[in-house]
Amino acid sequence: MELMDKVTALAKRRGIIYPGSEIYGGLANTYDFGPLGVELKNNIKRLWWKRFVEGRPEIYGIDGSVIANPKIWEASGHIESFVDPLVECKACHRRFRADQLTDSKKCPDCGGELTDPKMFNGMFKTYIGATEDEGSLAYLRPETAQNIFVNFSNIVNTFSPPMPFGIAQIGKAFRNEITTGQFIFRTLEFEQMEIEYFIRADGWEKVFDSWQEELMNWAQFVGIKKEKLRFREHSEKERSHYSKKTVDLEYEFPGGFKEIYGLAYRGDYDLTNHAKHSGQDLSYRDPQSGEKFVPHVVEPSLGVERTLLPMLLDSYAEEEGRVILKLKPAFAPYKAAVFPLLANKEDLVGKAREVFEMLKQKFYIAWDARGNIGKRYFAQDEIGTPWCITIDFDTLKDETVTLRDRDTTKQERVSVDKLSQYLENKIAS
Ligand code: ATP
């Protein structure tokens, strides 16, 4: 089996990612995250927020609305240009990205004849209120970035930040994607982690370079292998007309290198356009010199699912008959699992419960009393739990437990009162 198929099967088997609407035959490009998938995504988002918002005094977080005034999308250029050239099959009416077909004349699904490439809008439409007419038309946001630009003045007025400063957001984005079959790499709805970093035009190159470094460091911090990552700079033709430089961070998926994150220098395009369309002054006044100008912006844009998928692919390992997700402990869904050696010995179960309750105050901990220890290790390895803690007869005598490491399978005795600190130190290291 190919690695991608193995990871997809494991994700389903162990409650990480399920195909969307499965009991109704599914819905292409949609997935539901199970109990462990939601933990993984929450850990990614939480640690990103900690690093880039809580850890950076000049970056402010917001949480904007998915449905916004449609004028935003006129100003941003999405209504006009958020499109990829598509071709439609004249027989089965399915649409495909023209630039992704090997044979531009033949439908890859049914072999039917294809139309010439056309531009279709990639935004999902919806209607506000009782009538479905042009006046009530709205869109689900195709990116989180525009919420940031329309709140630029709010942040400036509320916090008076000195330059440079950033505004960050994590949230859902929706795109009417037509290329199917890429697991969570390309979905109709996904989560973005975006920052608009507002700067003076002078010296944008240095800021750009530092964000490029931040993206690379973050990708490795989550556990993606360095040798699978590369930057690819967009050619002039590929780049949006307002961007002077765009670089994608690409990951080598089993099928080849593909974008996981984007970094763009967008000049003053967004603020200038929103100022024009809204009639509002979106300039910035330097608190010291009084100088007024429209800031330029560097935009790192990251996908949560495109973080998770490489993490799963790179952490998947098969060793001596066991499957292991070698996730970094900080990102693993459970930090540890607690077992009573035997499920039918009341004093062992009672003591194990005590340890479980204690650790639960600080960490997300799994409890397992089924089957034998070997089976429990096997199950925890598959979901990436870094440590398994067994309460045995010695525990009752000397207050120590067996702590087994996921990657080395080495076991050591640790005293119950040191467990919490032990886990904390290991997770932080
Ligand atoms: P692609 O060329 O793969 O469609 P894009 O260049 O349109 O991607 P951007 O507009 O730069 O993507 O979006 C920023 C980030 O949002 C991407 O780097 C990716 O992490 C994420 N992203 C975009 N589209 C999707 C999608 N359909 N499913 C999952 N993540 C996505």
Side-chain angles (χ1 to χ4, degrees):
M1 229 202 301
E2 299 280 337
L3 177 62
M4 186 64 94
D5 294 334
K6 285 179 178 172
V7 166
T8 308
L10 172 70
K12 182 169 180 210
R13 185 168 78 244
R14 291 294 182 188
I16 302 173
I17 305 162
Y18 304 119
S21 319
E22 208 182 4
I23 63 165
Y24 289 102
L27 180 67
N29 290 350
T30 66
Y31 289 89
D32 294 336
F33 291 84
L36 304 186
V38 68
E39 289 299 325
L40 281 162
K41 286 218 299 181
N42 283 344
N43 289 343
I44 294 169
K45 290 186 282 183
R46 196 170 43 77
L47 290 167
W48 187 88
W49 196 259
K50 190 166 171 233
R51 191 178 177 104
F52 294 111
V53 181
E54 292 167 8
R56 300 272 297 241
E58 87 285 22
I59 300 185
Y60 299 80
I62 64 160
D63 183 13
S65 58
V66 165
I67 298 174
N69 191 317
K71 285 187 186 144
I72 288 179
W73 310 113
E74 273 171 39
S76 67
H78 282 83
I79 288 182
E80 203 184 345
S81 72
F82 193 82
V83 284
D84 285 309
L86 305 183
V87 290
E88 191 172 292
C89 173
K90 289 181 182 169
C92 72
H93 300 288
R94 288 198 56 194
R95 292 172 186 172
F96 305 93
R97 281 262 291 261
D99 58 342
Q100 289 180 350
L101 289 177
T102 35
D103 183 349
S104 62
K105 299 261 174 305
K106 221 167 94 188
C107 172
D109 270 21
C110 76
E113 196 190 332
L114 296 174
T115 62
D116 288 329
K118 278 193 206 128
M119 303 299 244
F120 293 93
N121 197 313
M123 283 197 290
F124 282 107
K125 285 181 182 165
T126 190
Y127 296 91
I128 300 169
T131 52
E132 293 195 1
D133 55 31
E134 279 300 308
S136 63
L137 179 62
Y139 300 91
L140 305 190
R141 67 181 179 204
E143 60 175 37
T144 59
Q146 299 303 322
N147 287 120
I148 294 178
F149 294 118
V150 301
N151 279 292
F152 173 78
S153 297
N154 283 333
I155 298 294
V156 169
N157 294 338
T158 321
F159 297 94
S160 313
M163 278 280 156
F165 72 95
I167 306 178
Q169 177 170 223
I170 298 180
K172 286 249 178 176
F174 302 80
R175 294 185 191 179
N176 200 348
E177 298 280 6
I178 42 132
T179 312
T180 56
Q182 305 193 3
F183 195 32
I184 57 165
F185 176 80
R186 190 179 298 288
T187 48
L188 302 185
E189 61 181 275
F190 51 96
E191 287 185 274
Q192 290 186 314
M193 306 182 283
E194 293 194 302
I195 298 170
E196 301 303 331
Y197 203 71
F198 297 101
I199 54 170
R200 290 171 182 276
D202 284 352
W204 66 267
E205 293 90 344
K206 236 174 119 187
V207 177
F208 192 98
D209 290 349
S210 77
W211 277 108
Q212 199 167 329
E213 213 177 299
E214 291 284 358
L215 285 185
M216 183 52 101
N217 290 344
W218 162 260
Q220 287 171 56
F221 171 66
V222 305
I224 302 175
K225 291 179 181 151
K226 190 169 186 213
E227 63 271 22
K228 294 270 188 73
L229 293 164
R230 74 169 188 204
F231 282 111
R232 188 182 68 82
E233 187 170 345
H234 285 207
S235 65
E236 208 176 329
K237 209 167 124 238
E238 196 183 353
R239 223 165 43 212
S240 314
H241 62 92
Y242 48 79
S243 173
K244 286 216 184 78
K245 186 169 182 180
T246 301
V247 166
D248 287 345
L249 180 59
E250 296 188 329
Y251 171 80
E252 191 175 14
F253 287 93
F257 276 98
K258 284 195 288 195
E259 170 185 346
I260 58 166
Y261 305 147
L263 178 65
Y265 169 48
R266 301 173 62 94
D268 62 359
Y269 174 82
D270 303 275
L271 287 180
T272 304
N273 267 296
H274 282 301
K276 207 159 74 193
H277 280 76
S278 66
Q280 306 285 318
D281 180 5
L282 298 183
S283 56
Y284 173 87
R285 183 189 286 277
D286 189 288
Q288 250 98 57
S289 66
E291 176 203 359
K292 237 176 123 185
F293 59 97
V294 178
H296 283 220
V297 77
V298 171
E299 177 194 79
S301 177
L302 300 83
V304 175
E305 290 79 0
R306 287 194 197 178
T307 305
L308 176 57
L309 185 52
M311 274 168 72
L312 292 175
L313 290 164
D314 276 359
S315 62
Y316 183 95
E318 290 173 7
E319 283 171 18
E320 291 154 9
R322 62 189 186 121
V323 169
I324 320 161
L325 276 188
K326 293 188 172 179
L327 294 165
K328 288 247 201 131
F331 292 90
Y334 295 116
K335 302 301 177 240
V338 172
F339 316 141
L341 179 66
L342 300 168
N344 57 0
K345 291 274 181 269
E346 225 172 87
D347 39 359
L348 286 182
V349 175
K351 184 70 197 166
R353 273 274 156 206
E354 217 178 88
V355 173
F356 174 72
E357 291 296 332
M358 175 198 65
L359 293 176
K360 200 158 69 75
Q361 309 298 319
K362 264 207 188 146
F363 313 98
Y364 192 37
I365 304 288
W367 168 266
D368 196 354
R370 296 162 306 168
N372 59 40
I373 292 284
K375 278 203 182 122
R376 296 178 202 161
Y377 284 162
F378 189 85
Q380 295 301 328
D381 286 346
E382 280 208 335
I383 58 173
T385 307
W387 299 285
C388 288
I389 295 163
T390 304
I391 281 65
D392 52 27
F393 293 106
D394 283 344
T395 315
L396 303 178
K397 282 186 260 159
D398 64 5
E399 286 281 317
T400 65
V401 296
T402 304
L403 188 138
R404 179 255 195 193
D405 183 278
R406 174 194 70 197
D407 299 342
T408 62
T409 73
K410 286 219 173 72
Q411 304 189 358
E412 59 183 303
R413 299 293 296 184
V414 178
S415 68
V416 170
D417 60 357
K418 299 233 163 65
L419 267 179
S420 191
Q421 196 59 51
Y422 180 100
L423 295 184
E424 208 158 319
N425 293 347
K426 287 274 192 180
I427 293 163
S429 69

